[in-house]
PDB file of all heavy atoms in Angstrom:
ATOM      1  N   LEU A1366      32.737  -9.069  17.029  1.00 54.00           N
ATOM      2  CA  LEU A1366      31.957  -9.548  15.933  1.00 54.00           C
ATOM      3  C   LEU A1366      30.553  -9.963  16.388  1.00 54.00           C
ATOM      4  O   LEU A1366      29.567  -9.682  15.719  1.00 54.00           O
ATOM      5  CB  LEU A1366      32.635 -10.720  15.223  1.00 54.00           C
ATOM      6  CG  LEU A1366      33.879 -10.356  14.408  1.00 54.00           C
ATOM      7  CD1 LEU A1366      34.586 -11.565  13.890  1.00 54.00           C
ATOM      8  CD2 LEU A1366      33.473  -9.428  13.238  1.00 54.00           C
ATOM      9  N   PHE A1367      30.470 -10.586  17.519  1.00 54.00           N
ATOM     10  CA  PHE A1367      29.218 -10.990  18.070  1.00 54.00           C
ATOM     11  C   PHE A1367      28.353  -9.754  18.388  1.00 54.00           C
ATOM     12  O   PHE A1367      27.141  -9.726  18.031  1.00 54.00           O
ATOM     13  CB  PHE A1367      29.449 -11.807  19.348  1.00 54.00           C
ATOM     14  CG  PHE A1367      28.188 -12.320  20.016  1.00 54.00           C
ATOM     15  CD1 PHE A1367      27.457 -13.354  19.471  1.00 54.00           C
ATOM     16  CD2 PHE A1367      27.719 -11.700  21.159  1.00 54.00           C
ATOM     17  CE1 PHE A1367      26.309 -13.776  20.074  1.00 54.00           C
ATOM     18  CE2 PHE A1367      26.556 -12.131  21.748  1.00 54.00           C
ATOM     19  CZ  PHE A1367      25.849 -13.213  21.233  1.00 54.00           C
ATOM     20  N   GLY A1368      28.917  -8.751  18.956  1.00 54.00           N
ATOM     21  CA  GLY A1368      28.174  -7.511  19.258  1.00 54.00           C
ATOM     22  C   GLY A1368      27.719  -6.829  17.993  1.00 54.00           C
ATOM     23  O   GLY A1368      26.581  -6.331  17.938  1.00 54.00           O
ATOM     24  N   LEU A1369      28.560  -6.761  16.996  1.00 54.00           N
ATOM     25  CA  LEU A1369      28.150  -6.139  15.718  1.00 54.00           C
ATOM     26  C   LEU A1369      27.002  -6.944  15.063  1.00 54.00           C
ATOM     27  O   LEU A1369      26.090  -6.358  14.465  1.00 54.00           O
ATOM     28  CB  LEU A1369      29.348  -6.084  14.779  1.00 54.00           C
ATOM     29  CG  LEU A1369      30.363  -5.010  15.097  1.00 54.00           C
ATOM     30  CD1 LEU A1369      31.580  -5.104  14.176  1.00 54.00           C
ATOM     31  CD2 LEU A1369      29.747  -3.611  15.001  1.00 54.00           C
ATOM     32  N   GLY A1370      27.059  -8.254  15.166  1.00 56.00           N
ATOM     33  CA  GLY A1370      25.986  -9.095  14.630  1.00 56.00           C
ATOM     34  C   GLY A1370      24.689  -8.841  15.305  1.00 56.00           C
ATOM     35  O   GLY A1370      23.632  -8.759  14.626  1.00 56.00           O
ATOM     36  N   ILE A1371      24.677  -8.709  16.596  1.00 54.00           N
ATOM     37  CA  ILE A1371      23.424  -8.437  17.318  1.00 54.00           C
ATOM     38  C   ILE A1371      22.949  -7.060  16.961  1.00 54.00           C
ATOM     39  O   ILE A1371      21.761  -6.868  16.729  1.00 54.00           O
ATOM     40  CB  ILE A1371      23.673  -8.559  18.855  1.00 54.00           C
ATOM     41  CG1 ILE A1371      23.884 -10.053  19.226  1.00 54.00           C
ATOM     42  CG2 ILE A1371      22.512  -7.967  19.638  1.00 54.00           C
ATOM     43  CD1 ILE A1371      24.271 -10.240  20.651  1.00 54.00           C
ATOM     44  N   PHE A1372      23.821  -6.069  16.897  1.00 49.00           N
ATOM     45  CA  PHE A1372      23.414  -4.719  16.538  1.00 49.00           C
ATOM     46  C   PHE A1372      22.798  -4.688  15.145  1.00 49.00           C
ATOM     47  O   PHE A1372      21.751  -4.065  14.916  1.00 49.00           O
ATOM     48  CB  PHE A1372      24.633  -3.746  16.612  1.00 49.00           C
ATOM     49  CG  PHE A1372      24.313  -2.396  16.144  1.00 49.00           C
ATOM     50  CD1 PHE A1372      23.629  -1.508  16.953  1.00 49.00           C
ATOM     51  CD2 PHE A1372      24.692  -1.961  14.877  1.00 49.00           C
ATOM     52  CE1 PHE A1372      23.336  -0.214  16.504  1.00 49.00           C
ATOM     53  CE2 PHE A1372      24.422  -0.682  14.422  1.00 49.00           C
ATOM     54  CZ  PHE A1372      23.720   0.154  15.255  1.00 49.00           C
ATOM     55  N   ALA A1373      23.411  -5.362  14.186  1.00 51.00           N
ATOM     56  CA  ALA A1373      22.918  -5.353  12.807  1.00 51.00           C
ATOM     57  C   ALA A1373      21.534  -6.046  12.754  1.00 51.00           C
ATOM     58  O   ALA A1373      20.616  -5.593  12.055  1.00 51.00           O
ATOM     59  CB  ALA A1373      23.915  -6.076  11.884  1.00 51.00           C
ATOM     60  N   ALA A1374      21.385  -7.150  13.427  1.00 49.00           N
ATOM     61  CA  ALA A1374      20.100  -7.881  13.412  1.00 49.00           C
ATOM     62  C   ALA A1374      19.031  -7.019  14.066  1.00 49.00           C
ATOM     63  O   ALA A1374      17.922  -6.953  13.530  1.00 49.00           O
ATOM     64  CB  ALA A1374      20.250  -9.193  14.143  1.00 49.00           C
ATOM     65  N   HIS A1375      19.292  -6.341  15.112  1.00 47.00           N
ATOM     66  CA  HIS A1375      18.330  -5.474  15.784  1.00 47.00           C
ATOM     67  C   HIS A1375      17.953  -4.280  14.915  1.00 47.00           C
ATOM     68  O   HIS A1375      16.773  -3.917  14.807  1.00 47.00           O
ATOM     69  CB  HIS A1375      18.885  -5.000  17.113  1.00 47.00           C
ATOM     70  CG  HIS A1375      17.943  -4.122  17.866  1.00 47.00           C
ATOM     71  ND1 HIS A1375      16.784  -4.588  18.398  1.00 47.00           N
ATOM     72  CD2 HIS A1375      17.969  -2.773  18.111  1.00 47.00           C
ATOM     73  CE1 HIS A1375      16.142  -3.572  18.979  1.00 47.00           C
ATOM     74  NE2 HIS A1375      16.852  -2.512  18.843  1.00 47.00           N
ATOM     75  N   THR A1376      18.912  -3.702  14.227  1.00 46.00           N
ATOM     76  CA  THR A1376      18.675  -2.562  13.371  1.00 46.00           C
ATOM     77  C   THR A1376      17.815  -2.952  12.221  1.00 46.00           C
ATOM     78  O   THR A1376      16.840  -2.260  11.857  1.00 46.00           O
ATOM     79  CB  THR A1376      19.984  -1.962  12.894  1.00 46.00           C
ATOM     80  OG1 THR A1376      20.788  -1.586  14.033  1.00 46.00           O
ATOM     81  CG2 THR A1376      19.748  -0.744  12.009  1.00 46.00           C
ATOM     82  N   VAL A1377      18.110  -4.050  11.556  1.00 46.00           N
ATOM     83  CA  VAL A1377      17.310  -4.521  10.392  1.00 46.00           C
ATOM     84  C   VAL A1377      15.920  -4.865  10.829  1.00 46.00           C
ATOM     85  O   VAL A1377      14.926  -4.461  10.209  1.00 46.00           O
ATOM     86  CB  VAL A1377      17.973  -5.725   9.749  1.00 46.00           C
ATOM     87  CG1 VAL A1377      17.092  -6.347   8.701  1.00 46.00           C
ATOM     88  CG2 VAL A1377      19.286  -5.300   9.092  1.00 46.00           C
TER      89      VAL A1377
END
Side-chain angles (χ1 to χ4, degrees):
L1366 288 174
F1367 181 74
L1369 287 174
I1371 290 174
F1372 175 77
H1375 180 70
T1376 303
V1377 169

